[in-house]
Amino acid sequence: MLGVGIAFLVIGVLWSAFKGWVVWDIAHDLYGGGGAPTLDFPLFCPMPLAMGARLVLSALDAVPFPGFGFSLYVGLAIAFGLMLWWFDRIGAPTRQRQLIAIQQRSAAESGEQSVIRSE
């Protein structure tokens, strides 16, 4: 069981790191948005971490209390949810700068087109 628990922990760490990077990129992308691409970060990424920790502790006969795996999952889900909110909050100024640059570029292009049409 120790090997299976360690495998779950490795998968959980790798999955969470990759998905955290994706969520960070989506939070800074004007067209990415949140929703479905980021919802699995706080809901599913903590599962292998909690299961792996529970299996490792169970193999070492060191489980602190019954329901430890579930409470660890809930704690990790809350932490990942807060991280999702924090990434979105940090990415808001970047998205706003991108939107302003697009609007200015669009206004400049439409201004150039009106000058060309009037000539």
Side-chain angles (χ1 to χ4, degrees), residues 81-101:
L82 289 173
M83 196 180 312
L84 179 67
W85 169 81
W86 184 57
F87 285 174
D88 190 51
R89 186 174 170 105
I90 288 176
T94 303
R95 291 191 308 269
Q96 188 63 30
R97 282 193 304 269
Q98 291 172 353
L99 181 62
I100 290 170

Side-chain angles (χ1 to χ4, degrees), residues 11-75:
I11 290 169
V13 167
L14 292 176
W15 184 17
S16 298
F18 174 72
K19 192 59 181 185
W21 174 63
V22 169
V23 168
W24 177 267
D25 280 348
I26 288 173
H28 288 79
D29 182 30
L30 179 65
Y31 302 109
T38 59
L39 187 59
D40 64 337
F41 184 58
L43 294 180
F44 298 117
C45 285
M47 282 184 192
L49 293 171
M51 288 189 336
R54 171 75 167 119
L55 288 172
V56 167
L57 290 176
S58 177
L60 298 174
D61 291 329
V63 176
F65 56 89
F68 172 74
F70 179 72
S71 61
L72 182 61
Y73 166 75
V74 169

